[in-house]
Amino acid sequence: MHLKIASEQTENRKIALQVSNVSRHFDGTAALQDISLSVTAGEIICLVGHSGCGKTTLLKMISGIDTPDSGSVFINGQPIVNGTHFIEPEQRHVGVVFQNYALFPHLTVKQNVLFGLRKTPRATASARADELLELVGLSHMAARYPHMLSGGEQQRVALARALAPTPDILLMDEPFSNLDQGLRQKVRSETIALLRKLGTTVIIVTHDAEEALSAGDRIVLMRSGRIIQQGTAHEIYDQPNGRYTADFFCNFNALSGTIRGGRIETALGSFELTDQQNADGAVHMYLRPSHIYPVSDDGDLHNTIKGTVTERHFLGETEELVVHTDDQSAPLRVRTALRLPADTGTIRLRLDTDKAFFFRD
């Protein structure tokens, strides 16, 4: 028996999952509102958003833990739930890795993996379990019990158990949130690399923006039961379609202002805009901390502003400064690779408005 590798499946990728106009209400409150989503075979999707946005509810619709009030779900072109069909969860060929891993404490590592292969002949199931444990690097722990494992090892057992029946789709609900920060990144990287190697179709639910940007082929951002924006990491980070998306993926500096005749007027001053496509009117100007630059007093001070450094947070390669100005009620956050003197108080800053985002609402 050999696991299928992604390179063998690159031809004619099909739609593995189709969610069409799915809605779900609880006590009159909309948890999902007319959600539609397509997932290509072998694609890794990150469902992201704040708590209560509907991402876990959507996973429940796909897995069969819950049913929608309206709409349809198809896996590999076959309806699994709509107005006339409901396929039981155990018949959907969907694997699930839960946030708490849900390992059976009285079963060994191998027995946990074998649990998903109960209808498979014993010899075949044992070989499959051995193969998966080798794949996740836990062959030497097959006889141990869950309480004898670290958090990262438990996560890998849960992953192997979910992959054992060769599911068409793997759903992962906050799979790395219980791990310490340092371990989380390592386990996440190893897990994603393995899933890509296998060509597994995956939907990962997370509230962590950094995790979504680093893990997903495509990111689906949700808010109040709706999809707000979806795209690749670069698309959604570099081209946010509104303030909610911008705020979710970066700690922006937001300044209210008015565009008039190629300039923006703000509480911090008036700044020239080289992009003449921005129409006149009231806007919110969003600037990343890395697009505000400290300027030396003996440099060009044209179009600079003055402020006072009130906090400093050393981050290794960069340092984040919190800068208060006389004209802006909220402090500015500045991220720089410069090594400023420890006694820096008053500072001059230049705003790179060419890299700003402008939102009308």
Side-chain angles (χ1 to χ4, degrees):
M1 181 190 306
H2 296 284
L3 297 173
K4 294 180 180 180
I5 304 302
S7 60
E8 301 173 2
Q9 301 176 323
T10 54
E11 297 181 0
N12 302 320
R13 282 192 171 184
K14 61 182 180 180
I15 301 299
L17 173 70
Q18 180 72 50
V19 178
S20 299
N21 307 114
V22 164
S23 295
R24 184 70 168 104
H25 294 75
F26 296 101
D27 298 325
T29 300
L32 296 175
Q33 303 185 63
D34 199 31
I35 292 287
S36 293
L37 177 68
S38 293
V39 182
T40 303
E43 192 175 20
I44 297 179
I45 298 291
C46 281
L47 280 181
V48 67
H50 296 299
S51 296
C53 71
K55 52 190 188 296
T56 297
T57 301
L58 180 55
L59 245 61
K60 291 179 178 180
M61 301 296 114
I62 299 167
S63 66
I65 295 174
D66 196 5
T67 56
D69 297 326
S70 60
S72 305
V73 180
F74 298 81
I75 292 180
N76 292 329
Q78 301 300 313
I80 59 169
V81 61
N82 57 23
T84 58
H85 289 77
F86 179 81
I87 304 300
E88 294 296 333
E90 61 272 17
Q91 298 176 338
R92 294 189 181 194
H93 304 290
V94 173
V96 183
V97 177
F98 297 99
Q99 181 177 1
N100 63 359
Y101 311 139
L103 299 178
F104 297 107
H106 62 289
L107 299 181
T108 65
V109 165
K110 183 172 181 177
Q111 288 169 341
N112 265 280
V113 177
L114 285 169
F115 185 81
L117 298 169
R118 298 184 302 281
K119 297 181 180 180
T120 304
R122 182 176 300 179
T124 303
S126 181
R128 174 68 173 175
D130 290 341
E131 184 179 21
L132 282 163
L133 288 175
E134 181 179 356
L135 197 66
V136 298
L138 293 177
S139 296
H140 61 295
M141 297 186 177
R144 297 188 185 182
Y145 289 87
H147 73 273
M148 303 167 70
L149 307 180
S150 68
E153 290 162 350
Q154 290 181 22
Q155 195 273 348
R156 282 185 278 162
V157 176
L159 177 64
R161 185 179 63 184
L163 290 172
T166 317
D168 293 327
I169 298 172
L170 179 65
L171 308 178
M172 305 182 78
D173 190 3
E174 301 277 5
F176 312 109
S177 61
N178 288 335
L179 304 177
D180 294 336
Q181 183 61 41
L183 182 61
R184 185 183 311 166
Q185 184 173 350
K186 179 178 184 295
V187 172
R188 182 175 67 224
S189 297
E190 292 174 348
T191 300
I192 296 301
L194 172 61
L195 294 172
R196 290 195 193 285
K197 178 181 178 181
L198 298 176
T200 308
T201 305
V202 187
I203 300 178
I204 302 173
V205 160
T206 180
H207 65 274
D208 187 318
E210 180 181 329
E211 183 167 282
L213 291 171
S214 66
D217 296 319
R218 184 154 48 99
I219 298 166
V220 178
L221 175 64
M222 296 185 65
R223 181 187 187 187
S224 301
R226 297 184 183 275
I227 294 175
I228 300 300
Q229 186 173 354
Q230 57 180 302
T232 66
H234 287 137
E235 288 169 345
I236 207 164
Y237 189 80
D238 295 336
Q239 303 168 42
N241 64 1
R243 296 175 66 189
Y244 180 80
T245 303
D247 285 330
F248 190 89
F249 289 99
C250 180
N251 188 12
F252 275 92
N253 293 288
L255 290 81
S256 297
T258 302
I259 296 178
R260 290 193 181 92
R263 299 186 68 85
I264 182 167
E265 300 172 4
T266 73
L268 295 178
S270 178
F271 304 95
E272 182 180 0
L273 300 177
T274 58
D275 185 356
Q276 299 301 316
Q277 296 181 359
N278 292 297
D280 288 359
V283 295
H284 299 281
M285 181 171 71
Y286 271 45
L287 270 171
R288 300 190 196 278
S290 58
H291 294 155
I292 301 178
Y293 311 111
V295 177
S296 172
D297 286 337
D298 57 4
D300 179 11
L301 301 182
H302 179 65
N303 265 354
T304 61
I305 60 173
K306 187 177 180 181
T308 302
V309 177
T310 59
E311 296 180 41
R312 300 177 66 161
H313 305 283
F314 184 61
L315 304 174
E317 292 186 3
T318 62
E319 185 172 27
E320 186 167 282
L321 311 176
V322 178
V323 180
H324 284 261
T325 67
D326 293 337
D327 301 313
Q328 173 81 351
S329 57
L332 297 175
R333 293 191 175 272
V334 180
R335 193 164 285 199
T336 177
L338 296 176
R339 292 292 186 258
L340 300 177
D343 59 352
T344 300
T346 301
I347 192 172
R348 284 277 180 179
L349 301 171
R350 175 169 286 114
L351 281 60
D352 190 349
T353 54
D354 289 341
K355 292 187 172 70
F357 296 100
F358 299 95
F359 303 114
R360 298 287 171 177
D361 52 18

